[in-house]
PDB file of all heavy atoms in Angstrom:
ATOM      1  N   ASN A  52     -40.447   8.157   7.829  1.00  0.00           N
ATOM      2  CA  ASN A  52     -40.971   8.383   9.149  1.00  0.00           C
ATOM      3  C   ASN A  52     -39.969   8.275  10.239  1.00  0.00           C
ATOM      4  O   ASN A  52     -40.321   8.014  11.397  1.00  0.00           O
ATOM      5  CB  ASN A  52     -42.201   7.512   9.477  1.00  0.00           C
ATOM      6  CG  ASN A  52     -43.433   8.302   9.635  1.00  0.00           C
ATOM      7  OD1 ASN A  52     -43.437   9.503   9.531  1.00  0.00           O
ATOM      8  ND2 ASN A  52     -44.479   7.624   9.992  1.00  0.00           N
ATOM      9  N   LYS A  53     -38.692   8.475   9.947  1.00  0.00           N
ATOM     10  CA  LYS A  53     -37.634   8.361  10.949  1.00  0.00           C
ATOM     11  C   LYS A  53     -37.036   9.734  11.232  1.00  0.00           C
ATOM     12  O   LYS A  53     -36.508  10.009  12.335  1.00  0.00           O
ATOM     13  CB  LYS A  53     -36.511   7.419  10.485  1.00  0.00           C
ATOM     14  CG  LYS A  53     -36.968   6.016  10.365  1.00  0.00           C
ATOM     15  CD  LYS A  53     -35.937   5.056   9.982  1.00  0.00           C
ATOM     16  CE  LYS A  53     -36.466   3.680   9.828  1.00  0.00           C
ATOM     17  NZ  LYS A  53     -35.561   2.690   9.288  1.00  0.00           N
ATOM     18  N   SER A  54     -37.031  10.684  10.228  1.00  0.00           N
ATOM     19  CA  SER A  54     -36.537  11.952  10.425  1.00  0.00           C
ATOM     20  C   SER A  54     -37.233  12.962   9.441  1.00  0.00           C
ATOM     21  O   SER A  54     -37.632  12.584   8.393  1.00  0.00           O
ATOM     22  CB  SER A  54     -35.078  12.121  10.346  1.00  0.00           C
ATOM     23  OG  SER A  54     -34.664  11.904   8.977  1.00  0.00           O
ATOM     24  N   LEU A  55     -37.312  14.153   9.930  1.00  0.00           N
ATOM     25  CA  LEU A  55     -37.834  15.267   9.020  1.00  0.00           C
ATOM     26  C   LEU A  55     -36.765  16.235   8.714  1.00  0.00           C
ATOM     27  O   LEU A  55     -35.981  16.588   9.662  1.00  0.00           O
ATOM     28  CB  LEU A  55     -38.997  15.932   9.741  1.00  0.00           C
ATOM     29  CG  LEU A  55     -40.315  15.129   9.982  1.00  0.00           C
ATOM     30  CD1 LEU A  55     -41.275  15.882  10.887  1.00  0.00           C
ATOM     31  CD2 LEU A  55     -41.006  14.878   8.641  1.00  0.00           C
ATOM     32  N   GLN A  56     -36.667  16.667   7.462  1.00  0.00           N
ATOM     33  CA  GLN A  56     -35.699  17.710   7.184  1.00  0.00           C
ATOM     34  C   GLN A  56     -36.470  18.899   6.613  1.00  0.00           C
ATOM     35  O   GLN A  56     -37.257  18.818   5.614  1.00  0.00           O
ATOM     36  CB  GLN A  56     -34.664  17.196   6.097  1.00  0.00           C
ATOM     37  CG  GLN A  56     -33.756  16.116   6.665  1.00  0.00           C
ATOM     38  CD  GLN A  56     -32.719  15.682   5.637  1.00  0.00           C
ATOM     39  OE1 GLN A  56     -32.943  15.689   4.513  1.00  0.00           O
ATOM     40  NE2 GLN A  56     -31.571  15.372   6.205  1.00  0.00           N
ATOM     41  N   PHE A  57     -36.239  20.044   7.297  1.00  0.00           N
ATOM     42  CA  PHE A  57     -36.875  21.239   6.946  1.00  0.00           C
ATOM     43  C   PHE A  57     -35.859  22.172   6.291  1.00  0.00           C
ATOM     44  O   PHE A  57     -34.916  22.685   6.937  1.00  0.00           O
ATOM     45  CB  PHE A  57     -37.399  21.945   8.210  1.00  0.00           C
ATOM     46  CG  PHE A  57     -38.323  21.082   8.976  1.00  0.00           C
ATOM     47  CD1 PHE A  57     -37.926  20.371  10.087  1.00  0.00           C
ATOM     48  CD2 PHE A  57     -39.689  20.978   8.602  1.00  0.00           C
ATOM     49  CE1 PHE A  57     -38.799  19.588  10.725  1.00  0.00           C
ATOM     50  CE2 PHE A  57     -40.608  20.205   9.284  1.00  0.00           C
ATOM     51  CZ  PHE A  57     -40.113  19.521  10.377  1.00  0.00           C
ATOM     52  N   TYR A  58     -35.969  22.361   4.998  1.00  0.00           N
ATOM     53  CA  TYR A  58     -34.979  23.119   4.154  1.00  0.00           C
ATOM     54  C   TYR A  58     -35.315  24.633   4.324  1.00  0.00           C
ATOM     55  O   TYR A  58     -36.403  25.016   4.006  1.00  0.00           O
ATOM     56  CB  TYR A  58     -34.957  22.641   2.736  1.00  0.00           C
ATOM     57  CG  TYR A  58     -34.227  21.381   2.592  1.00  0.00           C
ATOM     58  CD1 TYR A  58     -34.773  20.137   2.738  1.00  0.00           C
ATOM     59  CD2 TYR A  58     -32.819  21.390   2.193  1.00  0.00           C
ATOM     60  CE1 TYR A  58     -34.053  19.019   2.653  1.00  0.00           C
ATOM     61  CE2 TYR A  58     -32.174  20.204   2.094  1.00  0.00           C
ATOM     62  CZ  TYR A  58     -32.710  19.051   2.318  1.00  0.00           C
ATOM     63  OH  TYR A  58     -32.023  17.815   2.234  1.00  0.00           O
ATOM     64  N   TYR A  59     -34.292  25.437   4.716  1.00  0.00           N
ATOM     65  CA  TYR A  59     -34.509  26.840   4.651  1.00  0.00           C
ATOM     66  C   TYR A  59     -33.691  27.501   3.529  1.00  0.00           C
ATOM     67  O   TYR A  59     -33.797  28.730   3.295  1.00  0.00           O
ATOM     68  CB  TYR A  59     -34.132  27.520   6.042  1.00  0.00           C
ATOM     69  CG  TYR A  59     -32.824  27.089   6.533  1.00  0.00           C
ATOM     70  CD1 TYR A  59     -31.639  27.841   6.283  1.00  0.00           C
ATOM     71  CD2 TYR A  59     -32.721  25.976   7.393  1.00  0.00           C
ATOM     72  CE1 TYR A  59     -30.384  27.526   6.821  1.00  0.00           C
ATOM     73  CE2 TYR A  59     -31.517  25.657   7.954  1.00  0.00           C
ATOM     74  CZ  TYR A  59     -30.352  26.396   7.622  1.00  0.00           C
ATOM     75  OH  TYR A  59     -29.122  26.001   8.121  1.00  0.00           O
ATOM     76  N   THR A  60     -32.842  26.720   2.807  1.00  0.00           N
ATOM     77  CA  THR A  60     -32.191  27.095   1.574  1.00  0.00           C
ATOM     78  C   THR A  60     -32.226  25.812   0.728  1.00  0.00           C
ATOM     79  O   THR A  60     -32.638  24.740   1.276  1.00  0.00           O
ATOM     80  CB  THR A  60     -30.721  27.596   1.715  1.00  0.00           C
ATOM     81  OG1 THR A  60     -29.906  26.497   2.120  1.00  0.00           O
ATOM     82  CG2 THR A  60     -30.656  28.698   2.720  1.00  0.00           C
ATOM     83  N   ASP A  61     -31.759  25.895  -0.488  1.00  0.00           N
ATOM     84  CA  ASP A  61     -31.718  24.647  -1.327  1.00  0.00           C
ATOM     85  C   ASP A  61     -30.706  23.632  -0.758  1.00  0.00           C
ATOM     86  O   ASP A  61     -30.746  22.461  -1.021  1.00  0.00           O
ATOM     87  CB  ASP A  61     -31.348  24.996  -2.747  1.00  0.00           C
ATOM     88  CG  ASP A  61     -32.523  25.682  -3.451  1.00  0.00           C
ATOM     89  OD1 ASP A  61     -33.720  25.407  -3.097  1.00  0.00           O
ATOM     90  OD2 ASP A  61     -32.341  26.480  -4.383  1.00  0.00           O
ATOM     91  N   ASP A  62     -29.664  24.130  -0.026  1.00  0.00           N
ATOM     92  CA  ASP A  62     -28.572  23.197   0.466  1.00  0.00           C
ATOM     93  C   ASP A  62     -28.600  22.930   1.875  1.00  0.00           C
ATOM     94  O   ASP A  62     -28.067  21.948   2.278  1.00  0.00           O
ATOM     95  CB  ASP A  62     -27.259  23.890   0.153  1.00  0.00           C
ATOM     96  CG  ASP A  62     -26.980  24.104  -1.369  1.00  0.00           C
ATOM     97  OD1 ASP A  62     -27.419  23.172  -2.145  1.00  0.00           O
ATOM     98  OD2 ASP A  62     -26.364  25.077  -1.757  1.00  0.00           O
ATOM     99  N   TYR A  63     -29.197  23.712   2.744  1.00  0.00           N
ATOM    100  CA  TYR A  63     -29.161  23.595   4.229  1.00  0.00           C
ATOM    101  C   TYR A  63     -30.513  23.286   4.767  1.00  0.00           C
ATOM    102  O   TYR A  63     -31.517  23.910   4.312  1.00  0.00           O
ATOM    103  CB  TYR A  63     -28.503  24.736   4.818  1.00  0.00           C
ATOM    104  CG  TYR A  63     -26.994  24.922   4.398  1.00  0.00           C
ATOM    105  CD1 TYR A  63     -26.667  25.915   3.520  1.00  0.00           C
ATOM    106  CD2 TYR A  63     -26.091  24.008   4.965  1.00  0.00           C
ATOM    107  CE1 TYR A  63     -25.337  25.985   3.113  1.00  0.00           C
ATOM    108  CE2 TYR A  63     -24.723  24.182   4.436  1.00  0.00           C
ATOM    109  CZ  TYR A  63     -24.335  25.185   3.557  1.00  0.00           C
ATOM    110  OH  TYR A  63     -23.175  25.279   3.186  1.00  0.00           O
TER     111      TYR A  63
END
Side-chain angles (χ1 to χ4, degrees):
N52 241 3
K53 294 181 182 174
S54 70
L55 293 170
Q56 291 185 328
F57 304 97
Y58 283 83
Y59 52 90
T60 69
D61 287 332
D62 297 324
Y63 296 106

